[in-house]
């Protein structure tokens, strides 16, 4: 297993197959309730895979618009045993006030809570990158991404996300929540000063509106999923200028929006 | 398609396969931001599939412990176009206090320090049903469940949940969110006076702690998923007395906890 054993726990189960019942050793993916405490106030609790918790916290805060740059953060401390990440910002950010209560419980695994309005998103977020990627390069990335998503194969329980340039995967993360996996890779970029502009995001999970918004906030022009998008995900991709690719598996993919960024070999490039 | 067309939208996409690129008509699953307004105050916004919204609202309120019985509700009105469900309760439940907000915010995502600690859940929720189900009956239910999950096959974008007795599926729902699908079937039971005690829940989605807690709150003794559980899901199932089955597909399944409720043909019954 590529991911090490900290993500999984060994248990004994009973397996039923057509040849009978037997007790066997098996593994299940770990789930940690992680509370993010922002400047001594409780912000949110996320159910997550207990790896890269700093990145998760930083990525989440950026996704929610609470911070935009890493240097706004003074200190991040992780207490994994107690399931707490404490973040101190330089300016006292406090909790988002009114908007805090206009929270959106997201549709997915590990269900986050988000604090933005959709109308604002469509007005404010525009991705204008002129990046083009060849079909062949994209299929290579999808293939590499699939090979790295080992934990899913082992436990059937996690999503993966990656930040890539058109050559290779730069940052990769697993999580039981598809939102968390995306926040983790963005948090890693934020903390390690990896620019997201002109990069691609790969994800195993469905593309609903919140995922699209996370990606648009980072000025990412190409979002590729192994799974399906929702109509709202497609509409937001269209409006924000993001090339949205779904069902990317083997040598197939669907391009939902702004298909000009994916160039065939024949188109030159 | 079993589910009717209200769940999906027709769009034009570009499909890439090994034989080239072509523009084709396709469908994507719909996603609606649904705001639940409780006694004239905004409670939460859920991203969901725009079907069975009354059931979703009722099930959500019950999952969150805001109501326990349907007769606590005076009126539920749905405005799908605006993405709003209004719920009036008989007693003025008022706008939830600060602690309530914390509780709701964190409950979608798991534990909050101020909300249900897992210790409380383990103490308070005990499922003592002596229900037994034969392996064969369970495989039949899983098979029927799979056949009804047609929308997933069409659009790759939704989860399903069902309430069953040991013979047949009684209530079934799809949603882009696995939490919502479960809340919808429970909401339908609540509004149509279908008792959940001694029933089974089937779900396509992963079993994390919140799903387990929703099920334990309804006194459900058997929870069956096509997917994987997390370690926390398994631990809570063990402690609350729920028989947890995962990877139920075809003629295979894994029993994680309280396996005595699933009886082999040889055990009699």
């Amino acid at each position: 297993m590529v991911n090490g054993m900290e993500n999984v726990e060994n248990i004994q189960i009973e397996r039923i197959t057509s040849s009978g019942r037997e007790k066997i050793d098996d593994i299940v993916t770990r789930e940690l309730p992680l509370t993010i405490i922002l400047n001594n106030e409780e912000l949110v609790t996320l159910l997550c895979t207990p790896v890269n918790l700093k990145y998760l916290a930083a990525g989440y805060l950026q996704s929610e618009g609470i911070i935009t740059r890493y240097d706004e953060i003074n200190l991040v401390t992780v207490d994994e045993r107690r399931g707490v990440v404490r973040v101190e910002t330089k300016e006292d950010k406090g909790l988002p006030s009114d908007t805090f209560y206009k929270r959106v419980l997201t549709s997915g695994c590990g269900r986050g809570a988000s604090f933005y309005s959709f109308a604002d998103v469509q007005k404010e977020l525009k991705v204008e990158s002129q990046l083009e990627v060849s079909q062949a390069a994209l299929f290579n990335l999808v293939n590499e991404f699939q090979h790295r998503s080992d934990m899913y194969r082992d436990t059937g329980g996690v999503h993966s996300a990656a930040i890539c340039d058109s050559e290779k995967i730069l940052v990769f993360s697993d999580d039981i929540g598809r939102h968390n996996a995306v926040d983790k890779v963005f948090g890693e970029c934020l903390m390690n000063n990896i620019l997201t502009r002109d990069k691609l995001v790969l994800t195993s999970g469905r593309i609903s509106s919140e995922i699209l918004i996370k990606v648009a906030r980072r000025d990412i022009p190409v979002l590729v999923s192994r799974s399906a998008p929702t109509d709202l995900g497609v509409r937001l991709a269209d409006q924000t200028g993001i090339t949205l690719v779904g069902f990317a598996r083997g040598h197939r993919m669907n391009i939902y929006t702004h298909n000009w960024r994916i160039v065939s070999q024949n188109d030159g490039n």
Side-chain angles (χ1 to χ4, degrees), chain A:
Chain A
M1 189 182 336
V2 172
N3 290 287
M5 296 305 291
E6 71 271 32
N7 292 352
V8 296
E9 190 163 302
N10 297 295
I11 56 170
Q12 203 186 51
I13 66 165
E14 190 169 34
R15 178 161 289 163
I16 301 182
T17 64
S18 38
S19 46
R21 289 168 82 135
E22 55 171 347
K23 291 220 160 46
I24 60 164
D25 293 320
D26 200 9
I27 53 174
V28 284
T29 188
R30 289 181 60 204
E31 173 191 353
L32 177 76
L34 179 74
T35 299
I36 300 178
I37 296 177
L38 175 66
N39 298 324
N40 292 321
E41 287 187 87
E42 191 176 321
L43 179 65
V44 70
T45 298
L46 304 171
L47 298 178
C48 66
T49 300
V51 173
N52 291 346
L53 298 180
K54 270 190 193 187
Y55 296 150
L56 175 57
Y60 179 84
L61 291 178
Q62 193 189 35
S63 282
E64 297 305 321
I66 295 167
I67 59 165
T68 54
R69 300 185 321 278
Y70 184 41
D71 65 13
E72 295 170 56
I73 295 181
N74 244 347
L75 191 66
V76 183
T77 52
V78 176
D79 181 345
E80 188 192 316
R81 232 181 66 82
R82 302 176 66 184
V84 170
V85 176
R86 290 179 174 274
V87 181
E88 284 174 31
T89 56
K90 283 183 183 157
E91 288 176 39
D92 183 14
K93 302 253 174 190
L95 301 186
S97 55
D98 283 350
T99 53
F100 181 73
Y101 294 113
K102 295 206 173 180
R103 65 218 173 283
V104 175
L105 287 191
T106 62
S107 60
C109 339
R111 180 139 53 155
S114 290
F115 306 123
Y116 43 72
S117 97
F118 284 104
D120 290 350
V121 165
Q122 292 164 36
K123 256 180 293 174
E124 290 169 17
L125 299 177
K126 286 285 172 211
V127 179
E128 291 174 349
S129 163
Q130 295 301 304
L131 180 78
E132 294 186 353
V133 189
S134 78
Q135 270 181 219
L138 203 48
F139 280 126
N140 283 341
L141 289 171
V142 167
N143 195 30
E144 186 189 346
F145 182 69
Q146 189 49 22
H147 280 294
R148 290 188 63 170
S149 303
D150 280 332
M151 191 173 157
Y152 184 80
R153 283 199 289 270
D154 284 336
T155 63
V158 299
H159 282 292
S160 308
I163 310 282
C164 321
D165 61 22
S166 57
E167 307 273 303
K168 61 186 178 307
I169 291 177
L170 305 172
V171 171
F172 179 91
S173 210
D174 284 321
D175 200 281
I176 54 164
R178 65 194 167 91
H179 304 83
N180 295 339
V182 169
D183 280 340
K184 280 179 177 178
V185 292
F186 282 132
E188 186 166 348
C189 288
L190 186 73
M191 294 181 87
N192 294 339
N193 209 20
I194 297 166
L195 294 181
T196 52
R197 179 180 294 240
D198 286 341
K199 299 295 191 308
L200 295 78
V201 166
L202 268 53
T203 168
S204 62
R206 282 178 303 110
I207 304 297
S208 48
S209 53
E210 334 86 280
I211 299 290
L212 203 286
I213 290 167
K214 284 180 196 294
V215 167
R217 273 189 192 279
R218 272 69 175 213
D219 228 4
I220 296 272
V222 182
L223 172 57
V224 180
S225 170
R226 281 181 51 76
S227 306
T230 66
D231 68 332
L232 197 47
V234 173
R235 209 176 317 143
L236 288 173
D238 186 40
Q239 288 164 353
T240 55
I242 290 174
T243 298
L244 178 59
V245 176
F247 292 105
R249 302 173 189 190
H251 287 278
R252 300 174 68 91
M253 60 177 71
N254 292 345
I255 312 180
Y256 291 89
T257 55
H258 302 281
N259 60 359
W260 58 270
R261 286 201 185 90
I262 315 296
V263 295
S264 310
Q265 282 73 351
N266 303 342
D267 299 350
N269 209 26

